[in-house]
Structure formats: C-alpha cells, structure tokens
Amino acid sequence: MNTGQRATAGLVITSPANPRVKHAVALRHRRTRDNAGVTLAEGYAEIALATSAGAVPHTLYLCPELAGDDPQGLAERVAEAGGEVVRVSP
C-alpha cells in the first residue's frame, strides 16, 4: 500500500469504546509504553517538532476540528513518511 492510500483510507473513529482508542489511552501508562516499545507524543506542537526532527509516527490520531494550525499538513507529512493517519471525532 502506498503512503497516499494510508492518508486517504477514510478511517474515522467516532467511539471512545473503539479498541484502537482504548490502546492509545493505555499508552499513557509508562509500563504499557515500555511493553509496546513505543513513545507517546501528545499535542500538535509536540508531534510537529518530533516529525521535524525526523521521527516517524507509527500512527497519528487526528481530530481536525480540535487541531491547531495546519492539521492537514501534519497529516500529509506523517503519511508521506510512512505513518498511518487515523481521524477521530471530537
């Protein structure tokens, strides 16, 4: 699958009961992150800084209605780097 398809796959999560949301919330706990071997970055500015420094997010959960400046630009950068972009509702 090319990265353009990942960004436009159309996946929108609207339920907090979704297993992907539950997993993302669980990553707030250090033990869960350590076991998964991942780092969690929250917030537009933090994620933009990380991607500018060369980090490639595995998954970006993005709520365009709540995102700050240029959420589509961030989503495109993540997708072009090979990360998955998942849109979520407020």
Side-chain angles (χ1 to χ4, degrees):
M1 170 184 309
N2 72 41
T3 56
Q5 288 176 319
R6 291 185 89 175
T8 59
L11 177 59
V12 178
I13 297 176
T14 59
S15 171
N18 183 288
R20 292 178 72 146
V21 172
K22 288 182 177 184
H23 176 71
V25 170
L27 290 174
R28 289 184 171 175
H29 301 284
R30 181 178 178 171
R31 179 172 286 160
T32 305
R33 291 192 310 272
D34 288 347
N35 289 339
V38 299
T39 299
L40 178 65
E42 292 186 74
Y44 179 86
E46 290 79 6
I47 296 167
L49 284 172
T51 58
S52 294
V56 179
H58 179 269
T59 306
L60 171 67
Y61 292 93
L62 175 69
C63 178
E65 295 87 359
L66 299 178
D69 300 329
D70 191 32
Q72 187 58 36
L74 179 60
E76 288 173 3
R77 287 195 311 269
V78 168
E80 287 171 1
E84 178 183 24
V85 177
V86 176
R87 303 210 186 280
V88 295
S89 66

